[in-house]
Amino acid sequence: MSGEETAGEDAGAPQPSTVAPPAEQQQNEAAVAEAPATGEEGKAAAGTSEEAPAVSTSTAAAGRQYRALVLTGFGGYEKVKMQIRQLPQAEPSPGAGQICVQVRACGLNFADLLARQGVYDRLPSPPVSPGMEAAGIVLAVGEGVSSPKVGDKVMIMARSGLWQEIVTVQANQTFLMPEGMSFEEAAAFLVNYITAYMVLFDFGNLRPDQSVLVHMAAGGVGTAAVQLCKTVENVTIFGTASASKHEALKENGVTHPIDYRAADYVAEVRKISPKGVDVVLDPLGGSDTTKGFHLLKPMGKLVSYGVANLLTGQRKNLMAMAKTWWNQFSINALQLLHLNKAVCGYHLGYLEEEVELLTAVVTKLIALYNQGKIKPKVDSVWPFEQVVDAMKQMQEKKNVGKVVLVPEAPPKDENKKIEN
């Protein structure tokens, strides 16, 4: 599963542990002030309107303050709150093999929405800071770290903990940002493009003149997958999304956009390609996995990397979970043998120890970025204070591309929409 679609999703090369807050902060839990995460029009989200206590005066002069988003419990939007934390020392001091990063942008993934509801198995128990990818500037390096260096711009990927203005991570959880890449683009790069690349090429073995069905084609992984398909000659791309997003899909390279709300996407695909498609990318789960499998041509491959059908509202929906489980695709090896088809499962979160594998993928992706063949599409940028609106943007499927969080609000003269 990817960070964007999984129910159990996901992100150079992370270690088994989650990201720790700056080491000094662990010694100074008293110096934490909780502030409400606001929704539209600057209003506090439901359940977060209480006045934040002042930062402890005994530590006020110790070090810089920084913002952090914290999941305080499982449930609705109100469970994610912003806290103001403070370092007890003037400067961060990462341990051996670690670096400290000033985060400038964070990626919002589908798995973060599932984690808020308590249906994502890779997140530690609350209270915890979510966030699987971010980008920023290296503030300090620990003993034994030769790269990156202080001042370098880096992309970070981890199991959780990156929705903070200052983070301490293992050095091998980071990658240098390519020249010319913005922090917002960097926060939209790792989870989505690693997932799309490995699903398409490592499992899907995509080749010239083949066809692909991309569900949620306007989302982060979907956008990345379409761009990567375009790096292969003469690939026919079917992409599902609501009708309002079809022009954006065509601009990104989708050959045949399909409005899944108004039409049966299986019938629409077969009108154009009666035999079906060569590769199906399935972030949905449930009955859609079965539909995707039956759409495969002989020698076709279905890659399951999420269970987005679980997410039907703000809070965990037991009925949706039961329905998805009941309709989950099942097949035995003998049936696969007779049908000449393949089914694969992908979960980026469980590849966290495969350092060399993930590093090799990121190296290829950075080369494609430098060649101008792929470019992250940022839908919108939201300050930490408006995390509720950011989550709504994704959960209500309004986004075209990546939803990005930033610790501080951008200047007033900048549009919230980022044009790529």
Side-chain angles (χ1 to χ4, degrees):
M1 296 182 177
S2 79
E4 185 173 338
E5 285 84 10
T6 78
E9 171 172 17
D10 313 347
Q15 297 299 305
S17 61
T18 57
V19 174
E24 300 87 339
Q25 186 262 328
Q26 298 177 15
Q27 307 166 17
N28 190 31
E29 293 299 325
V32 175
E34 187 175 278
T38 60
E40 295 178 3
E41 302 176 358
K43 297 178 181 177
T48 63
S49 59
E50 65 271 21
E51 183 177 352
V55 175
S56 170
T57 55
S58 64
T59 59
R64 71 180 73 183
Q65 293 182 9
Y66 66 97
R67 301 168 182 83
L69 291 174
V70 178
L71 178 66
T72 59
F74 298 131
Y77 298 126
E78 78 280 0
K79 294 298 184 179
V80 181
K81 301 180 181 182
M82 193 181 77
Q83 294 180 348
I84 304 299
R85 294 174 171 174
Q86 187 169 26
L87 299 178
Q89 299 179 16
E91 296 297 333
S93 55
Q98 295 181 326
I99 66 170
C100 187
V101 177
Q102 174 88 40
V103 171
R104 298 288 296 276
C106 312
L108 174 61
N109 287 292
F110 206 84
D112 296 314
L113 304 180
L114 294 167
R116 192 195 72 232
Q117 295 188 353
V119 291
Y120 173 61
D121 64 357
R122 302 296 285 169
L123 187 76
S125 299
V128 63
S129 182
M132 290 171 279
E133 60 186 334
I137 301 172
V138 178
L139 293 175
V141 300
E143 182 182 353
V145 177
S146 58
S147 179
K149 296 178 171 58
V150 173
D152 282 346
K153 298 178 180 180
V154 294
M155 302 178 283
I156 319 165
M157 189 164 61
R159 186 184 300 178
S160 65
L162 295 181
W163 285 3
Q164 303 184 77
E165 196 170 12
I166 299 177
V167 297
T168 299
V169 298
Q170 295 295 320
N172 67 354
Q173 291 179 277
T174 67
F175 300 94
L176 293 174
M177 287 171 50
E179 191 72 27
M181 178 180 276
S182 69
F183 288 113
E184 291 81 8
E185 287 180 331
F189 193 72
L190 292 178
V191 169
N192 292 164
Y193 281 86
I194 290 174
T195 297
Y197 186 95
M198 299 186 79
V199 165
L200 277 173
F201 299 118
D202 291 318
F203 273 142
N205 191 28
L206 184 64
R207 300 191 300 277
D209 302 315
Q210 291 192 325
S211 54
V212 181
L213 172 60
V214 181
H215 285 294
M216 300 173 68
V221 173
T223 299
V226 171
Q227 291 180 6
L228 288 167
C229 284
K230 299 298 290 182
T231 67
V232 180
E233 186 178 359
N234 197 33
V235 171
T236 300
I237 307 168
F238 296 89
T240 65
S242 57
S244 63
K245 301 178 181 181
H246 284 191
E247 284 304 313
L249 262 58
K250 291 177 182 177
E251 291 176 6
N252 196 42
V254 172
T255 319
H256 303 290
I258 300 172
D259 183 0
Y260 68 96
R261 294 176 177 176
D264 177 2
Y265 65 83
V266 173
E268 294 300 307
V269 170
R270 291 204 180 276
K271 285 180 185 177
I272 299 165
S273 178
K275 289 186 176 181
V277 296
D278 297 289
V279 181
V280 172
L281 307 189
D282 174 34
L284 303 175
S287 60
D288 287 292
T289 305
T290 303
K291 292 178 182 178
F293 181 79
H294 291 305
L295 263 179
L296 292 176
K297 296 178 180 178
M299 301 304 295
K301 305 165 192 70
L302 180 142
V303 187
S304 175
Y305 65 98
V307 196
N309 285 335
L310 287 180
L311 196 68
T312 60
Q314 269 201 59
R315 295 170 179 80
K316 180 165 58 178
N317 185 326
L318 296 178
M319 183 63 71
M321 294 178 68
K323 181 179 178 181
T324 300
W325 177 84
W326 180 260
N327 291 319
Q328 193 57 42
F329 178 72
S330 178
I331 195 168
N332 61 50
L334 186 59
Q335 291 171 310
L336 286 175
L337 186 154
H338 291 163
L339 292 170
N340 289 299
K341 297 179 181 181
V343 179
C344 309
Y346 178 85
H347 194 313
L348 179 55
Y350 286 95
L351 291 175
E352 59 191 1
E353 296 184 25
E354 301 298 327
V355 177
E356 293 183 3
L357 174 62
L358 295 178
T359 300
V361 172
V362 174
T363 300
K364 294 173 185 176
L365 289 169
I366 289 175
L368 290 171
Y369 177 86
N370 288 333
Q371 294 165 19
K373 294 183 177 180
I374 60 174
K375 182 179 176 64
K377 171 68 176 175
V378 177
D379 170 78
S380 50
V381 178
W382 308 81
F384 277 5
E385 290 89 344
Q386 291 182 277
V387 64
V388 169
D389 291 331
M391 290 188 292
K392 286 181 179 178
Q393 179 78 358
M394 174 174 281
Q395 185 155 337
E396 295 174 6
K397 299 181 180 179
K398 296 178 180 178
N399 60 303
V400 177
K402 190 78 167 188
V403 178
V404 172
L405 295 164
V406 293
E408 296 185 81
K412 292 182 179 179
D413 59 347
E414 289 187 11
N415 291 328
K416 188 166 289 179
K417 280 285 190 181
I418 300 295
E419 300 295 337
N420 284 315

